[in-house]
Amino acid sequence: MLSVCRSCFSAIRNRLTIIEHGRGFSAHAAVNEAKEPDTAQLFTQEHKELRRSLGRLIEQDINPYVDEWEEMGQFPAHEVFKKLGQAGFLGVTKPTEYGGLGLDYTYSVAVAEELGHINCGGVPMAIGVQTDMATPALARFGSDELKKQFLEPSIAGDVVACLGVSEAGAGSDVASIKTTAVKKGDDYVINGGKMWTTNGFQADWMCLLANTNEGPPHQNKSLICLPMDAKGINLSKRIDKMGMRCSDTAQIFFEDVHVPQSYVVGEEGQGFTYQMIQFQEERMWAAASILQTLQNIIQATIEYTKERQAFGQPILNNQSVHFRLAELETEVELLRSLLYRTVGLYVQGQDVTKFASMCKLKVGRLGREVADSCLQYWGGMGFTNEVLVSRLYRDFRLISIGGGADEVMLSIICKYMNTLPKMPQKK
Amino acid sequence: MTKGHQGHLNGVKMALRILVGCKRVIDYAVKVRVKPDKMGVVTEGVKHSMNPFDEIAVEEAVRMKEKKLASEIIAVSCGPQQCQETLRTALAMGLDRGIHVEISGKDYETLQPFHVSKILAKIAEEEKVDIIFLGKQAIDDDCNQTGQMTAALLDWPQATFASKIEKNNGDLMVTREIDGGLETINVKLPCVITSDLRLNEPRYATLPNIMKAKKKPIAKKSPADLGVDVSPRQEVLSVEDPPVREAGSIVQDVDELVSKLKAAGVV
Ligand SMILES: Cc1cc2nc3c(=O)[nH]c(=O)nc-3n(C[C@H](O)[C@H](O)[C@H](O)COP(=O)(O)OP(=O)(O)OC[C@H]3O[C@@H](n4cnc5c(N)ncnc54)[C@H](O)[C@@H]3O)c2cc1C
């Protein structure tokens, strides 16, 4: 408690110093260099205000604590989500009846982009799970009762959600999950387990994908809202990871876990389809959430290499350095353009599976490329745990793996290009 | 001179009308660059925000409304079209309506506290406000004059560098940050107050309030509407970067420090 108060105080002091010293002060500004990206096509004045306000929340209530959370291997999700929920950021696209704002997906993009100012990947990812991964299907297909019980408090930030799709034996190949939910009386009885569950140790409920009948793999699954305090849920392992350290990742087992059958989202048997729909928002979100971070790293690298001298001149003056940074900035803007185009189509109600998969593929690749290239120019400092670039180098490695690996995205794109060979039939 | 609306008082009920100045400035996190012609700084494509001291004034006014001390709070911003964005920020934080006094181009480049205070004084009279709340200074020109000049023009009492404001029967008790420490003064209404850094920590607007702010009215006026002449009183000859600080060096011990200082001829 004491340490929290102290860093809280130092956060306020920081703000004071920044203002008092005016613009000369650049240690923080370097990471937060406030150039306006050209977002005119997608964003209105309200999007801008949203970002401004969320940016303030991040500066006051999140960034000052990130180092501490990374150290602890967990961030206080309830506390942080409550703040975000109170300010309205957890339900921008969700229906107003359940406390959301009923805005279109461009507002989710604005939130995700601004979350890129958070000085790590773990906290934005956890927020994304709550807003764009575990809840879209519930909001679209769930019953009123279910939405009251699970969606409303998730939007308010009173509860933490997690998404249980991947299993120890099935990650890329979602259709082959083994967890079952078998009807018994009015309940489902769940057996099996989930792996890689973000927020798992803190979650109050899980959006669970399980096999609910014996049919073919694309029609035998359902999404179920599973209260995490149900009997028979065992959080067996906190997974130790190279990055995203402040985000807790759980391995979970289910042993005869009972939930009412009414906790199924939408139609029984439609879970796989719903999850594929839900993945679209997850993929656009993934791209949106690191655009800003990538630009911040490039900017911070410019600042650093401008100061750092070698062979009698700033490192930045080497053409191979400033050209490379220009190249990366160009790539980031290209990704932004693809994302905005995708979101534009999505908002019009079009199927964006191909474009959203391209966004996800590109953001995974580019996140690694930018972090790696920039880290190089920080020299030995880049290899230490004292600079943001090394944390992001570790954190962004996940993007090519989680939420559908690069190869899975490529397969989807190939499907749309009619170049994907037929899968061998499963025996 | 002019009395404000005086919606008071007797320590029981205060329904004050407040006018808050919201200047649009280059964001504090931006590194300012001088234009090649040395006639000003680069503002195109640069992030702008509300002057942080004005944000503190907005926050304090909103708190006064929440405590039922204020009835209506009006935001005013003088400058180009984009000032409406700054006004929207203020409205999202809780102000009731905005007035945009549009001044652009050459007129805006040469706009000084002298002009702005005349505009503020005129609006204060028209709107019958009890308090004009401003930041102690703007972080772009650092003038620290507008509040004082406005009070002088209206012949109202002023409480500058406020770090605490309380009601005191029909008056306000204001704690001021001065060089020697804190000074507490009693001011009668109507008055001009300027905020210091420690007055409060401004809130971030909630998304529902941001969306609501869209519907709050912003009136547009010109200096001529208010009968204020904004013709320049001074001419900018040149704007220069501050001198670059030379890089320091780290010394191993006191001996090395002393020898370096000696070599530099300082000791
Ligand atoms: C930190 C973290 C957080 C996560 N959070 C969640 C969560 O909250 N909820 C959740 O459900 N899941 C979560 N995941 C799981 C994540 O989505 C999976 O790890 C991912 O889908 C890959 O599955 P897998 O690990 O089983 O890899 P596998 O399926 O074993 O694949 C391994 C590799 O094989 C290659 N590969 C796979 N398929 C093909 C193909 N068709 N062609 C060519 N190559 C291929 C790819 O390179 C892939 O990376 C998380 C994972 C991590 C690491």
Side-chain angles (χ1 to χ4, degrees):
Chain A
M1 200 53 225
L2 189 66
S3 67
V4 172
C5 291
R6 274 186 28 161
S7 42
C8 181
F9 178 72
S10 82
I12 295 169
R13 294 268 359 151
N14 261 344
R15 214 180 106 74
L16 297 186
T17 2
I18 291 170
I19 297 175
E20 293 250 279
H21 290 222
R23 315 226 151 76
F25 190 80
S26 71
H28 282 70
V31 204
N32 202 357
E33 179 67 26
K35 265 207 215 97
E36 299 252 86
D38 182 18
T39 52
Q41 326 88 302
L42 203 66
F43 291 165
T44 64
Q45 176 61 30
E46 282 68 42
H47 292 81
K48 268 194 187 172
E49 275 309 321
L50 177 164
R51 288 196 60 166
R52 190 195 299 282
S53 178
L54 177 55
R56 172 64 70 73
L57 189 157
I58 291 169
E59 192 183 311
Q60 248 170 253
D61 296 329
I62 297 181
N63 273 343
Y65 311 104
V66 166
D67 289 349
E68 206 179 297
W69 297 338
E70 283 278 303
E71 191 97 353
M72 289 182 340
Q74 180 165 310
F75 83 103
H78 283 95
E79 204 178 294
V80 173
F81 286 7
K82 185 70 212 161
K83 286 189 175 135
L84 289 161
Q86 272 171 341
F89 296 122
L90 297 180
V92 295
T93 60
K94 300 293 190 304
T96 48
E97 303 92 289
Y98 307 97
L101 280 139
L103 301 166
D104 68 44
Y105 198 71
T106 58
Y107 285 88
S108 259
V109 174
V111 170
E113 276 197 44
E114 191 62 27
L115 291 178
H117 277 304
I118 296 179
N119 289 334
C120 67
V123 176
M125 175 172 71
I127 298 168
V129 166
Q130 178 98 349
T131 57
D132 290 69
M133 302 177 202
T135 48
L138 173 62
R140 270 171 88 161
F141 306 109
S143 68
D144 176 54
E145 184 201 340
L146 220 47
K147 285 193 263 198
K148 280 222 174 73
Q149 191 174 345
F150 295 99
L151 185 61
E152 195 169 296
S154 302
I155 292 171
D158 290 330
V159 301
V160 173
C162 65
L163 175 69
V165 173
S166 309
E167 299 183 355
S172 303
D173 185 5
V174 174
S176 69
I177 58 160
K178 293 282 177 285
T179 298
T180 55
V182 177
K183 282 184 188 161
K184 191 170 177 193
D186 292 337
D187 286 351
Y188 276 116
V189 181
I190 301 165
N191 279 286
K194 292 291 164 184
M195 182 79 179
W196 313 115
T197 312
T198 299
N199 297 348
F201 276 87
Q202 304 190 67
D204 301 288
W205 70 279
M206 172 189 277
C207 174
L208 168 79
L209 186 70
N211 298 310
T212 47
N213 67 50
E214 297 284 311
H218 292 171
Q219 285 140 45
N220 70 343
K221 297 182 174 44
S222 301
L223 286 176
I224 299 172
C225 293
L226 173 65
M228 289 297 281
D229 59 0
K231 228 178 104 212
I233 299 182
N234 175 14
L235 299 173
S236 87
K237 188 171 162 197
R238 194 181 284 268
I239 298 167
D240 186 15
K241 314 181 299 297
M242 70 175 266
M244 300 286 190
R245 293 198 60 87
C246 67
S247 159
D248 57 296
T249 313
Q251 179 168 21
I252 303 173
F253 288 106
F254 308 120
E255 207 184 322
D256 291 330
V257 180
H258 284 250
V259 289
Q261 281 171 26
S262 61
Y263 282 18
V264 165
V265 175
E267 266 180 67
E268 198 269 341
Q270 288 296 304
F272 187 83
T273 309
Y274 293 161
Q275 185 51 40
M276 293 303 127
I277 294 172
Q278 183 156 268
F279 272 149
Q280 302 318 315
E281 295 197 356
E282 167 166 353
R283 282 164 194 164
M284 288 184 280
W285 189 92
S289 72
I290 78 160
L291 284 175
Q292 186 66 56
T293 326
L294 295 181
Q295 280 176 318
N296 289 351
I297 317 180
I298 294 172
Q299 199 57 44
T301 305
I302 292 172
E303 302 291 328
Y304 181 77
T305 53
K306 209 188 269 173
E307 296 290 319
R308 179 79 185 168
Q309 303 263 331
F311 304 104
Q313 61 165 348
I315 287 176
L316 183 65
N317 281 8
N318 295 288
Q319 197 178 69
S320 63
V321 178
H322 57 254
F323 271 20
R324 178 68 182 142
L325 294 173
E327 187 105 34
L328 294 172
E329 180 90 359
T330 307
E331 294 273 332
V332 174
E333 288 300 350
L334 282 170
L335 175 59
R336 187 192 296 283
S337 294
L338 175 61
L339 173 72
Y340 287 4
R341 191 171 156 211
T342 309
V343 170
L345 293 169
Y346 186 70
V347 171
Q348 287 170 16
Q350 305 206 22
D351 172 19
V352 294
T353 313
K354 180 179 162 191
F355 281 162
S357 306
M358 288 173 163
C359 288
K360 170 66 175 55
L361 171 69
K362 190 64 193 171
V363 72
R365 301 255 207 253
L366 189 58
R368 291 153 65 184
E369 204 180 331
V370 170
D372 183 49
S373 295
C374 287
L375 189 148
Q376 179 69 18
Y377 302 139
W378 290 68
M381 277 313 289
F383 201 66
T384 68
N385 286 330
E386 285 178 21
V387 293
L388 183 60
V389 69
S390 66
R391 178 184 296 161
L392 297 175
Y393 175 86
R394 291 183 284 106
D395 289 359
F396 287 173
R397 189 62 187 82
L398 175 66
I399 303 169
S400 279
I401 298 171
D406 286 358
E407 292 79 2
V408 172
M409 295 305 116
L410 286 164
S411 304
I412 297 171
I413 297 162
C414 288
K415 231 182 245 169
Y416 279 81
M417 294 171 71
N418 285 321
T419 55
L420 194 70
K422 273 238 169 307
M423 286 282 185
Q425 282 300 312
K426 270 187 200 141
K427 298 274 145 58
Chain B
M1 215 182 97
T2 335
K3 279 279 164 250
H5 169 63
Q6 301 275 7
H8 57 222
L9 285 182
N10 290 335
V12 194
K13 187 163 164 273
M14 284 175 124
L16 304 174
R17 296 168 58 78
I18 306 179
L19 181 70
V20 188
C22 302
K23 184 176 184 183
R24 176 178 181 266
V25 298
I26 295 179
D27 189 87
Y28 68 82
V30 173
K31 278 222 180 105
V32 172
R33 278 179 301 133
V34 173
K35 279 200 280 203
D37 68 1
K38 296 201 185 269
M39 294 307 282
V41 298
V42 177
T43 54
E44 294 241 331
V46 168
K47 181 172 175 181
H48 284 70
S49 300
M50 194 192 309
N51 176 34
F53 291 106
D54 294 354
E55 233 181 331
I56 293 169
V58 169
E59 174 66 33
E60 197 65 18
V62 173
R63 289 187 191 183
M64 288 172 86
K65 188 165 180 193
E66 284 167 351
K67 286 188 214 143
K68 307 248 183 299
L69 295 178
S71 59
E72 186 176 35
I73 322 170
I74 306 160
V76 57
S77 191
C78 307
Q81 180 62 24
Q82 297 94 314
C83 285
Q84 298 213 359
E85 295 181 10
T86 311
L87 288 172
R88 291 282 169 216
T89 307
L91 298 180
M93 286 174 73
L95 302 208
D96 297 299
R97 61 189 170 94
I99 298 174
H100 173 210
V101 182
E102 188 165 33
I103 304 163
S104 52
K106 266 264 157 294
D107 281 348
Y108 186 59
E109 279 169 29
T110 54
L111 195 72
Q112 290 291 319
F114 178 68
H115 305 115
V116 175
S117 51
K118 281 185 169 175
I119 292 172
L120 294 175
K122 191 68 204 300
I123 295 175
E125 287 179 352
E126 283 186 1
E127 296 287 348
K128 299 191 168 44
V129 303
D130 303 290
I131 301 174
I132 300 179
F133 219 139
L134 307 174
K136 71 166 178 181
Q137 69 194 63
I139 63 165
D140 53 358
D141 57 20
D142 282 340
C143 278
N144 187 349
Q145 296 169 3
T146 310
Q148 294 85 333
M149 284 187 181
T150 311
L153 285 169
L154 289 163
D155 198 17
W156 286 4
Q158 56 180 294
T160 51
F161 315 127
S163 66
K164 193 171 176 192
I165 300 168
E166 293 156 297
K167 65 173 182 168
N168 188 22
N169 295 320
D171 303 340
L172 293 177
M173 184 127 82
V174 180
T175 307
R176 306 179 59 236
E177 295 205 5
I178 57 172
D179 281 349
L182 298 174
E183 177 188 80
T184 306
I185 59 171
N186 188 74
V187 275
K188 294 207 176 309
L189 296 167
C191 68
V192 175
I193 305 176
T194 72
S195 60
D196 212 319
L197 196 58
R198 286 158 198 85
L199 181 57
N200 60 50
E201 177 85 358
R203 72 194 60 197
Y204 32 79
T206 67
L207 189 49
N209 285 342
I210 290 171
M211 301 313 290
K212 270 184 222 147
K214 205 165 126 178
K215 301 198 184 80
K216 293 182 179 176
I218 293 180
K220 199 153 146 178
K221 288 186 190 288
S222 69
D225 293 340
L226 298 162
V228 176
D229 173 15
V230 290
S231 53
R233 298 300 182 103
Q234 61 188 49
E235 185 190 346
V236 174
L237 300 179
S238 163
V239 175
E240 309 279 342
D241 272 313
V244 181
R245 254 181 61 188
E246 301 220 348
S249 63
I250 293 175
V251 292
Q252 294 301 326
D253 49 34
V254 177
D255 289 346
E256 192 188 342
L257 174 66
V258 172
S259 69
K260 286 224 165 160
L261 291 175
K262 276 193 178 137
V266 237
V267 288

